[in-house]
Amino acid sequence: LNPVYKGNETLLDMLDKRNDGSRDLVGAIVFSNDAFVVSYMVDEPQFVAKKLSYVNYKAVPMGMGTQLENALWAGIDMILANEKEPDNDLNKLRLRMFGVGNDYKREDVQVILEKYRSVAEHSCVIIFTDGEFDNPAGTANRMSVYKQLHLCKDLGIKVYVISVETVDAFVDRYTKDTGCFSTIFRDFEESKFRKAY
């Protein structure tokens, strides 16, 4: 997993060295059978890089599965609420993501979408995965990745997916709908990861 760390390092170095006067809030989440916050959003990319350097991907609970829907929701939640407790509006949106389906029901949530659109403007989620897409359409008790990608599009959150094996066809299509893309690497060549990031 060294190339993953190097890719993150490249992205965070680039953000740290911007000379146009702007600052970016950056956070980090790792995921396996659930999603775990490594760093909430701060305007210090090197702080996030240092926190990521402490992650042991061989230690439990890492390596216990690939719950992409939890990772994507954690990213959405971090952007919309950051360290605050989710309010009822955010919980209402989250509940719409459960169940099998490619899209979510928007009735009665247009005002909520408007509320969060201004918060989400100019944000993005970058997901690195091993390519396992376990029930991306959701189940009765799990969120649908597809619904979440539609929510991201509605909120203006761009989503990138970097995979080392494959990308689900709908995930590929819906990431493009957010204004971004997915890409596949079949090896761990460090220079390719740096370029992708």
Side-chain angles (χ1 to χ4, degrees), residues 69 94-105 134-148 150 170 174:
E69 74 277 6
R94 183 176 180 271
L95 288 173
R96 299 273 165 123
M97 302 300 112
F98 283 88
V100 178
N102 281 42
D103 208 349
Y104 70 102
K105 295 179 181 174
D134 182 27
N135 293 311
T139 68
N141 299 316
R142 286 175 55 182
M143 289 181 278
S144 163
V145 173
Y146 304 153
K147 290 179 183 181
Q148 290 179 77
H150 279 96
F170 283 113
Y174 298 151

Side-chain angles (χ1 to χ4, degrees), residues 95-166:
L95 288 173
R96 299 273 165 123
M97 302 300 112
F98 283 88
V100 178
N102 281 42
D103 208 349
Y104 70 102
K105 295 179 181 174
R106 289 168 182 76
E107 57 268 10
D108 304 327
V109 295
Q110 290 300 329
V111 171
I112 297 172
L113 292 173
E114 284 299 319
K115 168 185 167 180
Y116 285 119
R117 196 172 287 124
S118 63
V119 175
E121 188 176 32
H122 308 300
S123 63
C124 74
V125 173
I126 302 170
I127 298 172
F128 179 88
T129 181
D130 59 9
E132 292 181 26
F133 292 86
D134 182 27
N135 293 311
T139 68
N141 299 316
R142 286 175 55 182
M143 289 181 278
S144 163
V145 173
Y146 304 153
K147 290 179 183 181
Q148 290 179 77
L149 288 169
H150 279 96
L151 176 64
C152 287
K153 177 186 175 191
D154 291 343
L155 292 171
I157 299 172
K158 296 179 183 305
V159 180
Y160 298 91
V161 176
I162 301 170
S163 173
V164 297
E165 287 190 21
T166 185

Side-chain angles (χ1 to χ4, degrees), residues 16-193:
D16 195 44
K17 292 176 181 160
R18 287 176 61 175
N19 58 10
D20 60 3
S22 63
R23 302 293 297 171
D24 295 286
L25 291 177
V26 184
I29 296 162
V30 295
F31 66 100
S32 182
N33 64 333
D34 205 346
F36 310 95
V37 174
V38 175
S39 172
Y40 283 100
M41 292 194 299
V42 295
D43 66 353
E44 297 176 54
Q46 292 309 316
F47 172 81
V48 178
K50 185 168 187 154
K51 297 275 279 190
L52 279 169
S53 74
Y54 297 144
V55 175
N56 181 353
Y57 292 95
K58 294 179 181 177
V60 174
M62 301 308 294
M64 302 291 290
T66 307
Q67 300 294 320
L68 188 61
E69 74 277 6
N70 291 334
L72 183 52
W73 183 260
I76 294 168
D77 180 74
M78 185 177 283
I79 290 167
L80 301 182
N82 206 5
E83 295 182 70
K84 299 182 207 108
E85 285 294 319
D87 62 17
N88 286 337
D89 287 343
L90 192 53
N91 287 328
K92 190 172 185 178
L93 283 180
R94 183 176 180 271
L95 288 173
R96 299 273 165 123
M97 302 300 112
F98 283 88
V100 178
N102 281 42
D103 208 349
Y104 70 102
K105 295 179 181 174
R106 289 168 182 76
E107 57 268 10
D108 304 327
V109 295
Q110 290 300 329
V111 171
I112 297 172
L113 292 173
E114 284 299 319
K115 168 185 167 180
Y116 285 119
R117 196 172 287 124
S118 63
V119 175
E121 188 176 32
H122 308 300
S123 63
C124 74
V125 173
I126 302 170
I127 298 172
F128 179 88
T129 181
D130 59 9
E132 292 181 26
F133 292 86
D134 182 27
N135 293 311
T139 68
N141 299 316
R142 286 175 55 182
M143 289 181 278
S144 163
V145 173
Y146 304 153
K147 290 179 183 181
Q148 290 179 77
L149 288 169
H150 279 96
L151 176 64
C152 287
K153 177 186 175 191
D154 291 343
L155 292 171
I157 299 172
K158 296 179 183 305
V159 180
Y160 298 91
V161 176
I162 301 170
S163 173
V164 297
E165 287 190 21
T166 185
V167 173
D168 174 87
F170 283 113
V171 169
D172 183 50
R173 179 173 154 193
Y174 298 151
T175 54
K176 288 176 182 155
D177 289 345
T178 72
C180 291
F181 59 86
S182 58
T183 188
I184 302 168
F185 293 101
R186 304 207 192 288
D187 58 53
F188 286 95
E189 189 179 320
E190 185 179 314
S191 62
K192 289 182 181 178
F193 279 92

